[in-house]
Amino acid sequence: MTSPRDGTDNPIVSVRDVRRDYPVGAERVHALQGVSLDVARGDYVAIVGPSGCGKSTLLNLIGAIDQPTSGSVTIAGRHVESMTDREATQFRLLNIGFVFQRFYLLPILSAVENVALPMAEAKVPKDERVKRASELLEYVGLGARLRHRPSELSGGEQQRVAIARALANRPSLLLADEPTGELDARTGTEIIRLFQRLNEDGTTLVVVTHDEDLASAARHKIHMRDGRVVES
Amino acid sequence: MRGALAQASLIRHRARTGLAVLGVAIAAAMLLDMVMLATGMRESFRELLLSRGFQLRLAPKGTLPFDTDATIPGVSAIIATLRTNPAIGDISPVLGASIHVLRSGRDVSGSAIGINPVVQGDYELVSGRDLKNADDIVLNDFMWRQLGARFGDTVTVALGYDPQTRTYSGQRRLVLVGLVRFIYGANDQPGAAVRRETLESMGTAGASAGRVLRDRASLFMVRVRNGNDAEQVRNWIEARIPSVSAISIATAIAQVDERLSYFRQLALILGAVSLFVGFLLVTTLVTVSVNERAGEIAVMRAIGVSRSHVVQQIVIEGVAITLLGAVLGLGLGLVTARYLNTILSAFPGLPMAIDFFLFQPRAAWSALGLLVVSGIGAGIYPAWRAASLPIAESLRREAIA
């Protein structure tokens, strides 16, 4: 369990005795078996463990894109398990940024349009969202690539666009699932530095990774095995 | 933004979108043609009947105009009765008969009508002059060519021919004065027109051949004065003149409708099949596209794009394909209809003015409306699939893939 950095007793993420089962064929997989943890505001947490240990499942629950079979997940004071789909969607839009291993940029949109997409969904006026998207791309070092499409960008550049997109609506929590998984070592290092900078600038980060360098850059590590937290 | 995303998504797979649009265009063209065919003959027939402004036809009781050789006796008395109704304007009695036209050893048989040229509504003069004298005759182009006729030629016209005695009955010498186009006649059948009294006199002369034509008519065409109800006049005529069936445009259309009902049903079924094929095509294409983009859609949902916006984007894609196909299909349908109309109109025995495919803006809008509705319907299933994709599960599958 990690400690709050801001001196308050209210962690931004609070997971209590969470279980998550799902069917695979005729069987039920127990992906999480009673996980509890807290993440403080401004913290930088890496969740590590072998494949299939439940890291991504836990991240999905913290990101309000899945609901626990039992237990409770509280993010910024809101209970994920009691949210309707509409509430969860709106919550994610305004409070959570996602970065995925495969970037998942829309190939038909330019870098600045990809970053502006969540802001358009949040009904930010067009001028304002283009300005902020451009600023975010400057922040991640892609000021000269605003109009480029994903196919015209390298893997590292695409991941930086995805990070800028995740920051679009000023989320209180940034979640990343294997963000360096598809990148070479040098590009991975750039992303690690970018995450550190984001955290220093006040962003709370939770990262699921196999990458030792990325995990080491985090303030706290949570080790998982067989659907349980074994060390934190 | 949704529209832009939908557009971009379609552009991403240009070839596939293009083929789908083409498929919808063919289905739309087929649908439009079938709608035009289903209503075309009916409307064309209505326009034909109304073209000379006669709203009522009086045929021998229980028959349709020129359906049989039956005639209506007592023309003068009928005209006198009709004249007592102030709602009735022009009255044009028409007498029909089969004739033989003999010229330079040629015998061309055909049909002739006896009319009053002042109020006739059966033909249009193409060249020469109209009937003025009792010895005048006008011919249609087909008979004109068969006879090798020239203006001013004198021909022998007979009402009957007895093959046993090889003699013609009811003969009269007439002068060719005009070339005409019969409005209700076929362009591949010989036809002629003379004054009614001329045909009557030939009938008297040929009475021994079995036809008495004096004071008889095969048909009356009646104009109803403006501001009067044709149906009321029709009822009035039927009540006062028991020897005739009074047929209004509406009645005639109903009878044509009845005769063409199987034809129309076939067109409607084929149209419905086309619509369904277009619907399936768009549904399949958009469903394939949604399946391919499952990960992308899951990520959009994860970053906060609402379910309804995903649905809207997918439905817009379906409608866009349908609309593009419909516009293309409209042009294709019109070209095809024109070509098919040319072929079908050349069918023997049909009036020249009858069109099988009649373009009506209302029918085109109806077809377009049906297509748009089917486009929306076609987008609903894949949109529903896209919206109900479990985000976490889709992302997990993508990661495994």
Side-chain angles (χ1 to χ4, degrees):
Chain A
M1 193 180 292
T2 66
S3 311
R5 275 180 70 214
D6 59 1
T8 70
D9 289 333
N10 297 327
I12 190 166
V13 176
S14 179
V15 178
R16 288 288 170 273
D17 196 24
V18 160
R19 306 182 76 85
R20 181 67 175 103
D21 304 339
Y22 53 84
V24 175
E27 295 182 10
R28 283 194 80 73
V29 171
H30 305 291
L32 296 176
Q33 303 181 57
V35 171
S36 295
L37 63 86
D38 287 340
V39 176
R41 283 182 194 279
D43 206 347
Y44 180 0
V45 177
I47 302 173
V48 295
S51 293
C53 70
K55 306 185 295 292
S56 294
T57 304
L58 179 58
L59 198 76
N60 290 341
L61 292 170
I62 294 172
I65 59 175
D66 198 5
Q67 293 202 325
T69 307
S70 66
S72 72
V73 178
T74 312
I75 309 158
R78 296 285 308 276
H79 280 274
V80 169
E81 67 276 8
S82 60
M83 284 180 192
T84 63
D85 179 78
R86 188 187 292 252
E87 287 168 344
T89 302
Q90 191 67 12
F91 183 78
R92 288 194 301 272
L93 179 67
L94 301 177
N95 295 282
I96 297 171
F98 275 102
V99 178
F100 300 94
Q101 180 176 351
R102 290 188 179 172
F103 330 132
Y104 284 121
L105 301 175
L106 296 185
I108 50 196
L109 301 181
S110 67
V112 75
E113 287 167 340
N114 263 291
V115 177
L117 181 64
M119 289 187 272
E121 193 66 20
K123 297 185 173 62
V124 174
K126 189 173 181 184
D127 289 350
E128 196 180 323
R129 64 183 189 240
V130 171
K131 182 169 173 280
R132 176 157 170 77
S134 304
E135 286 169 359
L136 284 167
L137 286 168
E138 287 279 353
Y139 181 83
V140 299
L142 292 175
R145 303 282 212 175
L146 302 183
R147 303 288 163 199
H148 285 63
R149 298 217 167 168
S151 58
E152 298 162 337
L153 299 172
S154 69
E157 287 171 331
Q158 287 187 55
Q159 193 60 299
R160 280 188 275 165
V161 175
I163 292 167
R165 180 180 67 183
L167 298 170
N169 286 327
R170 298 181 174 83
S172 45
L173 182 62
L174 183 68
L175 306 178
D177 193 352
E178 301 283 7
T180 58
E182 301 243 329
L183 304 175
D184 58 45
R186 188 180 63 80
T187 318
T189 305
E190 287 172 14
I191 297 299
I192 292 167
R193 284 200 195 114
L194 180 57
F195 277 171
Q196 281 178 314
R197 203 168 111 216
L198 278 170
N199 182 240
E200 284 160 13
D201 290 344
T203 305
T204 307
L205 280 157
V206 178
V207 178
V208 162
T209 187
H210 281 107
D211 184 339
E212 276 301 320
D213 292 337
L214 178 58
S216 302
R219 292 174 189 275
H220 298 98
K221 276 194 214 175
I222 295 173
H223 291 267
M224 290 187 70
R225 187 179 294 274
D226 299 331
R228 292 188 175 87
V229 173
V230 291
E231 186 187 341
S232 62
Chain B
M1 194 74 177
R2 257 96 60 203
L5 283 174
Q7 181 193 351
S9 173
L10 293 173
I11 290 171
R12 201 194 310 184
H13 298 288
R14 283 187 181 85
R16 190 165 68 187
T17 305
L19 286 171
V21 167
L22 193 62
V24 172
I26 291 167
M30 182 95 169
L31 175 66
L32 180 68
D33 284 353
M34 289 304 121
V35 170
M36 286 166 72
L37 187 61
T39 56
M41 278 192 80
R42 180 179 185 277
E43 284 306 307
S44 180
F45 187 70
R46 196 175 73 84
E47 282 175 14
L48 183 67
L49 290 179
L50 273 173
S51 63
R52 305 292 285 196
F54 290 93
Q55 296 97 326
L56 296 174
R57 268 89 176 152
L58 312 187
K61 192 76 182 174
T63 69
L64 290 172
F66 293 114
D67 227 18
T68 66
D69 285 338
T71 53
I72 306 162
V75 170
S76 311
I78 289 173
I79 291 175
T81 305
L82 293 174
R83 288 270 175 253
T84 62
N85 188 333
I88 292 175
D90 292 331
I91 302 162
S92 173
V94 181
L95 179 60
S98 297
I99 57 165
H100 295 262
V101 182
L102 313 170
R103 180 183 177 274
S104 306
R106 290 183 206 173
D107 173 357
V108 178
S109 60
S111 56
I113 52 169
I115 45 89
N116 175 357
V118 179
V119 291
Q120 67 85 18
D122 293 275
Y123 61 78
E124 290 167 341
L125 190 67
V126 177
S127 59
R129 67 166 173 81
D130 205 353
L131 301 171
K132 195 164 71 180
N133 307 313
D135 291 339
D136 289 346
I137 185 169
V138 292
L139 307 178
N140 72 354
D141 185 58
F142 192 84
M143 186 174 260
W144 192 276
R145 280 187 281 112
Q146 295 250 306
L147 287 168
R150 287 173 304 188
F151 288 115
D153 280 356
T154 300
V155 292
T156 301
V157 180
L159 270 190
Y161 174 69
D162 184 345
Q164 299 284 329
T165 59
R166 296 186 178 178
T167 54
Y168 292 95
S169 57
Q171 292 187 44
R172 183 156 178 172
R173 300 276 289 168
L174 301 173
V175 180
L176 297 179
V177 296
L179 177 66
V180 299
R181 187 178 73 82
F182 287 103
I183 294 163
Y184 309 106
N187 57 353
D188 59 347
Q189 288 174 357
V194 295
R195 295 180 70 96
R196 193 169 62 87
E197 57 269 26
T198 304
L199 207 56
E200 279 188 354
S201 71
M202 290 166 67
T204 306
S208 57
R211 292 217 69 188
V212 177
L213 302 178
R214 178 156 297 280
D215 205 28
R216 282 176 177 269
S218 306
L219 168 76
F220 287 83
M221 291 164 69
V222 176
R223 272 199 189 105
V224 177
R225 291 186 200 281
N226 286 344
N228 292 285
D229 181 20
E231 276 304 314
Q232 276 185 4
V233 176
R234 189 186 76 81
N235 291 334
W236 181 89
I237 292 170
E238 288 225 318
R240 277 166 183 73
I241 310 171
S243 59
V244 301
S245 287
I247 300 157
S248 64
I249 301 287
T251 319
I253 294 292
Q255 286 173 347
V256 167
D257 263 353
E258 199 180 316
R259 291 187 181 198
L260 293 176
S261 65
Y262 290 112
F263 191 64
R264 204 171 49 252
Q265 279 171 24
L266 182 70
L268 287 174
I269 288 168
L270 288 175
V273 169
S274 309
L275 189 68
F276 189 59
V277 167
F279 170 84
L280 285 182
L281 190 66
V282 176
T283 304
T284 306
L285 178 92
V286 181
T287 304
V288 167
S289 172
V290 162
N291 288 344
E292 279 179 0
R293 288 184 289 152
E296 192 178 298
I297 291 166
V299 169
M300 283 176 69
R301 295 274 293 117
I303 65 174
V305 175
S306 70
R307 204 168 257 188
S308 66
H309 286 176
V310 171
V311 168
Q312 283 170 30
Q313 185 192 327
I314 307 293
V315 170
I316 288 170
E317 286 178 31
V319 171
I321 292 171
T322 311
L323 267 180
L324 284 172
V327 171
L328 196 64
L330 187 69
L332 193 64
L334 289 176
V335 171
T336 318
R338 197 169 174 175
Y339 175 67
L340 290 173
N341 201 50
T342 312
I343 294 173
L344 292 172
S345 295
F347 221 69
L350 285 173
M352 279 184 291
I354 284 283
D355 284 314
F356 283 80
F357 297 85
L358 193 67
F359 179 75
Q360 294 170 284
R362 197 174 156 191
W365 283 118
S366 302
L368 192 66
L370 276 173
L371 279 164
V372 170
V373 169
S374 80
I376 293 170
I380 284 176
Y381 169 70
W384 169 81
R385 265 185 73 87
S388 39
L389 281 173
I391 305 170
E393 177 64 20
S394 300
L395 290 173
R396 188 160 43 237
R397 278 192 201 143
E398 279 290 306
I400 293 166

